[in-house]
């Protein structure tokens, strides 16, 4: 076992603070990674504050972080395809049973034995898994991704969650070229949704509660921006969208976005607010509209997304922060004040 520095939360109300955790010695199938950057996902905050207690109660201490990019420092004897020095990524899952229909269909995230990168059962060391707010990590090779060397690594880290979570439902929608696509919420997920929808040729509109994000939305690739708090602006777009991707992290009225969908339109939720949100049945019946959900993506699809980003030079727009700024970053996330993903420079943890 190796000791490594990390930032953890001791309870749902405690700020994140310096801690020391253990990482296992790499097994024959493992890859050991020095972490260079870790993105800050709103799911980290939901978990640290135990906001998903009814589904996935948080075990403390909690070390979040599932947008990990680093370099390989060692590989096990059975590992091929990775070598010391390679740029690699780790996303939201680090294990699954590889046997079940979900794993066979390359959607390991839905495997009954999937292990999340943090707050999941750690079969090697006991207790729970610890995430990327740390200096290093050891991961089964099947959950390690290759990061294209042309990508900026600070901006590539968020691809491992925000990237795949938005890429996957947009790809699954089908041929989205020329379709009218709405991205709801311009945060970490939302701004990646804009980039991907645009890259696949959609007509992209951003729904935002923040008037000051309008210019950025257009710069990121949106064709138009709709201020969701302005009923007149919303009404202009009623019944017109083919697809809407909802990334909002807090309680909101789903029905007002269902109203934006056209015939057979679909709204996919990727945002994961704490409480249930009511849906008015007639809003779906008229126009044969549907509402669904999507959770990250499988490993194969995540590699496909990273390769796509490598080819098109797509990364996240990041504000690089030092580890010790994390509590301030969480406060800003809650104020929708992120442009558009925080990426922690892990070198800052070495001197913490
Ligand atoms: P984020 O960076 O904080 O962005 C969320 C955005 O939602 C904000 O920037 C804001 O955009 C909008 N928003 C926030 N509060 C709002 C409110 N009260 N009403 C309306 N809009 C509001 O968060 P994120 O990291 O992108 O994550 C978004 C959600 O997705 C979280 O719930 C997270 O847990 C979830 N998530 C799900 C998956 C999955 O696999 N399904 C993966 C990762 C994350 P504007 O300022 O533009 O309005
Ligand atoms: Zn995430």
């Amino acid at each position: 076992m190796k000791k490594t520095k990390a930032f953890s939360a001791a309870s749902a109300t405690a700020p994140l603070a310096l801690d020391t955790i253990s990482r296992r010695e790499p097994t024959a199938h493992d890859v050991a990674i020095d972490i260079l950057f870790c993105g800050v996902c709103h799911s980290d905050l939901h978990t640290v504050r135990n906001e998903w207690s009814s589904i996935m109660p948080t075990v403390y201490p909690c070390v979040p972080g599932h947008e990990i990019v680093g370099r390989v420092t060692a590989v096990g004897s059975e590992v091929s395809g990775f070598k010391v020095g390679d740029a690699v990524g780790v996303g939201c899952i680090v294990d699954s049973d590889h046997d079940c229909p979900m794993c066979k269909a390359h959607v390991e995230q839905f495997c009954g034995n999937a292990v999340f990168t943090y707050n999941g059962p750690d079969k090697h060391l006991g207790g729970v898994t610890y995430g990327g707010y740390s200096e290093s990590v050891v991961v089964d090779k099947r959950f390690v991704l290759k990061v294209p060397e042309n990508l900026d690594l600070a901006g590539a880290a968020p691809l491992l969650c925000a990237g795949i979570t938005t890429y996957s439902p947009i790809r699954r929608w089908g041929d989205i070229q020329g379709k009218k696509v709405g991205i709801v919420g311009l945060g970490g997920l939302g701004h990646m949704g804009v980039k991907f929808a645009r890259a696949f040729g959609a007509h992209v509109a951003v729904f935002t509660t923040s008037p000051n994000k309008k210019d950025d939305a257009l710069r990121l690739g949106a064709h138009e921006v709709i201020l969701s708090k302005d009923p007149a602006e919303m009404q202009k777009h009623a019944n017109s969208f083919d697809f809407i991707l909802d990334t909002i992290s807090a309680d909101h009225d789903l029905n007002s976005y269902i109203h934006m969908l056209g015939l057979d339109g679909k709204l996919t939720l990727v945002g994961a607010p704490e409480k249930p949100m009511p849906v008015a049945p007639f809003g779906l019946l008229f126009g044969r509209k549907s509402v669904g959900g999507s959770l990250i993506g499988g490993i194969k699809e995540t590699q496909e997304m990273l390769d796509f980003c490598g080819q098109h030079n797509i990364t996240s727009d990041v504000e690089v922060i030092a580890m010790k700024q994390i509590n301030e970053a969480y406060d800003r996330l809650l104020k929708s004040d992120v442009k558009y993903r925080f990426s922690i420079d892990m070198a800052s943890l070495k001197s913490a």
Side-chain angles (χ1 to χ4, degrees):
M1 265 191 330
K2 182 183 150 194
K3 298 281 180 203
T4 181
K5 281 184 185 174
F7 254 53
S8 73
S11 76
T13 51
L16 289 140
L18 185 61
D19 198 352
T20 302
I21 57 168
S22 298
R23 295 298 192 189
R24 66 178 182 265
E25 288 302 325
T27 70
H29 302 278
D30 283 338
V31 176
I33 301 162
D34 255 0
I35 301 175
L36 295 175
F37 293 97
C38 185
V40 178
C41 180
H42 208 112
S43 304
D44 301 351
L45 191 159
H46 288 305
T47 306
V48 159
R49 309 229 166 140
N50 204 13
E51 287 172 0
W52 293 336
S53 57
S54 56
I55 315 279
M56 294 179 273
T58 305
V59 176
Y60 297 95
C62 172
V63 178
H66 57 204
E67 295 185 335
I68 298 169
V69 160
R71 292 215 178 258
V72 174
T73 54
V75 294
S77 56
E78 301 289 315
V79 174
S80 57
F82 294 105
K83 60 178 189 321
V84 171
D86 283 354
V88 291
V90 178
C92 300
I93 47 172
V94 288
D95 207 359
S96 69
D97 61 28
H98 304 288
D99 239 8
C100 70
M102 296 296 181
C103 286
K104 287 184 176 145
H106 300 289
V107 283
E108 300 87 355
Q109 72 272 33
F110 304 127
C111 168
N113 294 307
V115 176
F116 287 105
T117 303
Y118 58 83
N119 202 43
D122 187 336
K123 71 179 182 197
H124 298 272
L125 300 179
V128 289
T129 50
Y130 293 135
Y133 294 6
S134 59
E135 290 176 308
S136 66
V137 66
V138 177
V139 179
D140 183 311
K141 66 172 191 282
R142 290 175 290 198
F143 297 88
V144 180
L145 286 306
K146 290 178 196 295
V147 176
E149 286 284 354
N150 60 311
L151 295 181
D152 166 62
L153 294 184
L159 299 176
L160 276 305
C161 175
I164 184 60
T165 302
T166 50
Y167 177 93
S168 179
I170 292 170
R171 287 306 274 159
R172 264 194 338 276
W173 194 89
D175 183 4
I176 214 146
Q177 178 129 18
K179 301 293 178 193
K180 188 169 176 185
V181 172
I183 305 290
V184 188
L186 197 66
L189 266 55
H191 92 290
M192 290 312 304
V194 171
K195 291 189 185 204
F196 287 129
R198 181 68 193 246
F200 291 121
H203 177 89
V204 185
V206 165
F207 292 92
T208 181
T209 59
S210 307
N212 63 353
K213 292 182 183 173
K214 201 167 179 172
D215 290 346
D216 283 343
L218 297 171
R219 176 180 57 78
L220 289 162
H223 296 91
E224 48 190 330
V225 183
I226 303 159
L227 296 178
S228 52
K229 287 181 175 161
D230 180 338
E233 265 196 52
M234 290 288 274
Q235 192 51 36
K236 273 194 259 166
H237 293 270
N239 303 312
S240 70
F241 281 85
D242 296 295
F243 178 54
I244 293 179
L245 190 66
D246 182 345
T247 78
I248 297 179
S249 50
D251 191 23
H252 61 285
D253 177 23
L254 272 183
N255 299 297
S256 60
Y257 297 103
I258 292 170
H259 183 50
M260 298 296 116
L261 293 171
L263 178 65
D264 290 323
K266 180 173 186 184
L267 181 148
T268 295
L269 272 174
V270 284
E274 185 180 358
K275 299 201 178 81
M277 295 186 288
V279 168
F282 275 104
L284 294 174
L285 272 49
F286 282 96
R288 291 192 307 229
K289 302 173 182 184
S290 56
V291 173
S294 191
L295 184 83
I296 48 175
I299 294 298
K300 187 167 175 253
E301 193 181 29
T302 305
Q303 188 63 61
E304 175 193 305
M305 177 274 310
L306 285 168
D307 295 344
F308 179 84
C309 289
Q311 281 149 20
H312 297 267
N313 207 20
I314 294 175
T315 51
S316 180
D317 283 31
V318 289
E319 187 176 332
V320 176
I321 59 168
M323 189 69 256
K324 64 175 194 292
Q325 291 173 283
I326 189 67
N327 295 303
E328 191 191 315
Y330 278 15
D331 289 344
R332 285 181 52 195
L333 272 189
L334 287 173
K335 291 187 208 142
S336 300
D337 175 24
V338 48
K339 302 214 168 66
Y340 280 87
R341 196 57 141 189
F342 295 112
S343 186
I344 307 164
D345 180 354
M346 276 313 153
S348 65
L349 184 53
K350 296 200 190 301
S351 56

